[in-house]
Amino acid sequence: MKTEVFLNYFTERQTLVEECLGKLVPEITAPYKNLFDASRYSLLGAGKRLRPILALATAETFNVSIDTAISACCTLEMIHTYSLIHDDLPSMDNDDFRRGKPSLHKAYPEGLAILAGDFLLTHAFETLAQDSKLDDTRKVKLIHLLAKSSGGHGMIAGQVLDIESEGKSITIDFLREIHRKKTGALIAASIEFGAILGNAGKEDLQALRTFGQELGLAFQIADDILDVTCSEKKHGKKISSDIINEKATYVSLLGLDEAKGLVKIHREKALEALKTLSRNANLLTEITEYIGNNP
Ligand code: GRG
């Protein structure tokens, strides 16, 4: 696929995801409309929509229609956005900016920001449970996977390890473990979402799990690199909160060049895993190239 064709694909999917998210969390007129307004402020902010697009692309690889898959794939973005809202709170990373604008707790009262995060978290599961496009077997598998990857041994565990490591010297293996849980688990789950939607067989599922894990690591290291090389462009602020919060990153532990080399290694391992897939992996290959270069 030519780069231009792929970029068009990515932009088209971003638009479809955003339209679907806008419908799943609509504007309302009820007395608690502020909850929906606040949730939409974060959810419809300028995110890349990487997780739903990864899930959609994997589902498309197994010939699942966008119409069938999109609502389920959007629940990944709800969980991701909730995690960003809570991560930015003063009691966590204390970030004033997110997705190029004031963080939710800066734009709305802090209590409402916490509740908007809670709402997006619960709404993801309500959305999956009532998805009329999916049979019950796939729904239960997706609900389980989403809960597991974002839960107490997944993303939330990673966040706890991350917070408790602040200001401490940690090893590269421990940093990898933090990121495998904090960001890697939901990225790997996004790929597996597509596999479940496409009723992938055992061998394809295993290949996609390996692919997802390697891609998650490549994404996180590339994100650490971007954090130091272009923090202002990325976050709308000059100094990375990782530096302010004394957090170890791949760049601080390994240096910029070695960190760049590691992105390449994980990207190659991800591409290697795709080679065993029984389907045409062009789309997932393109996304892997995109992620390694545009975290
Ligand atoms: C609060 C339970 C809880 C968890 C928070 C994911 C997470 C855990 C915190 C995010 C902190 C962070 C900035 C991590 C670096 C990697 C990352 C997830 C970046 C943001 O994801 P992108 O680049 O963001 O996909 P967009 O805005 O494009 O969606």
Side-chain angles (χ1 to χ4, degrees):
M1 199 187 280
K2 281 211 172 96
T3 313
E4 199 186 315
V5 177
F6 171 71
L7 289 178
N8 283 342
Y9 167 88
F10 205 85
T11 312
E12 272 171 31
R13 295 298 174 275
Q14 281 175 325
T15 306
L16 291 174
V17 165
E18 280 158 16
E19 280 170 9
C20 183
L21 287 170
K23 285 182 197 150
L24 291 170
V25 181
E27 282 185 273
I28 60 165
T29 54
Y32 47 87
K33 76 182 282 303
N34 280 351
L35 175 64
F36 282 67
D37 290 345
S39 303
R40 286 169 63 87
Y41 174 91
S42 287
L43 189 65
L44 305 178
K48 292 184 287 298
R49 317 301 175 201
L50 187 64
R51 292 149 193 83
I53 292 176
L54 280 172
L56 266 182
T58 311
E60 287 177 67
T61 299
F62 287 84
N63 298 326
V64 181
S65 74
I66 295 176
D67 187 46
T68 303
I70 192 147
S71 179
C73 296
C74 281
T75 63
L76 291 155
E77 188 71 14
M78 289 182 201
I79 296 286
H80 171 56
T81 306
Y82 122 72
S83 81
L84 297 179
I85 294 170
H86 283 191
D87 187 60
D88 289 340
L89 291 169
S91 56
M92 296 220 195
D93 266 9
N94 195 20
D95 268 318
D96 291 351
F97 291 92
R98 171 67 65 184
R99 291 177 162 171
K101 59 184 187 179
S103 307
L104 190 57
H105 66 273
K106 287 284 165 188
Y108 286 83
E110 188 180 331
L112 191 66
I114 294 171
L115 291 167
D118 294 340
F119 167 51
L120 290 173
L121 163 61
T122 46
H123 197 52
F125 292 100
E126 184 179 347
T127 302
L128 280 175
Q130 68 182 19
D131 192 333
S132 62
K133 301 274 163 58
L134 301 179
D135 52 86
D136 289 350
T137 306
R138 280 187 295 177
K139 277 189 206 179
V140 171
K141 282 185 183 171
L142 293 174
I143 289 169
H144 180 215
L145 176 59
L146 194 60
K148 192 173 154 195
S149 57
S150 61
H153 295 289
M155 184 179 76
I156 298 176
Q159 181 76 346
V160 170
L161 292 176
D162 190 47
I163 289 172
E164 291 182 351
S165 304
E166 273 172 28
K168 291 186 188 152
S169 129
I170 58 169
T171 64
I172 191 77
D173 286 345
F174 193 66
L175 181 66
R176 192 183 305 113
E177 187 54 23
I178 294 175
H179 290 311
R180 210 185 273 283
K181 295 184 184 309
K182 187 178 142 184
T183 46
L186 197 61
I187 290 187
S190 304
I191 310 284
E192 203 171 327
F193 248 57
I196 292 171
L197 288 165
N199 286 314
K202 229 175 168 181
E203 280 166 19
D204 279 343
L205 190 59
Q206 195 44 53
L208 288 167
R209 279 188 181 139
T210 308
F211 169 66
Q213 281 161 11
E214 296 298 334
L215 192 68
L217 283 170
F219 174 77
Q220 179 62 57
I221 304 166
D223 189 76
D224 278 0
I225 293 169
L226 196 63
D227 214 41
V228 287
T229 55
C230 74
S231 195
E232 191 168 8
K233 185 175 156 218
K234 182 176 170 228
H235 304 297
K237 63 189 172 186
K238 278 198 170 58
I239 304 172
S240 144
S241 61
D242 286 348
I243 295 173
I244 295 168
N245 293 331
E246 294 181 45
K247 280 192 190 180
T249 68
Y250 284 93
V251 178
S252 68
L253 290 189
L254 298 176
L256 202 52
D257 288 345
E258 213 177 310
K260 282 182 182 169
L262 210 52
V263 174
K264 226 172 150 189
I265 289 172
H266 287 297
R267 203 182 331 144
E268 272 156 22
K269 282 189 183 171
L271 293 173
E272 199 59 38
L274 283 183
K275 285 188 185 150
T276 62
L277 208 62
S278 70
R279 306 289 173 130
N280 180 333
N282 277 357
L283 201 46
L284 295 173
T285 303
E286 290 285 344
I287 293 186
T288 309
E289 301 290 347
Y290 174 80
I291 285 181
N293 295 310
N294 304 279

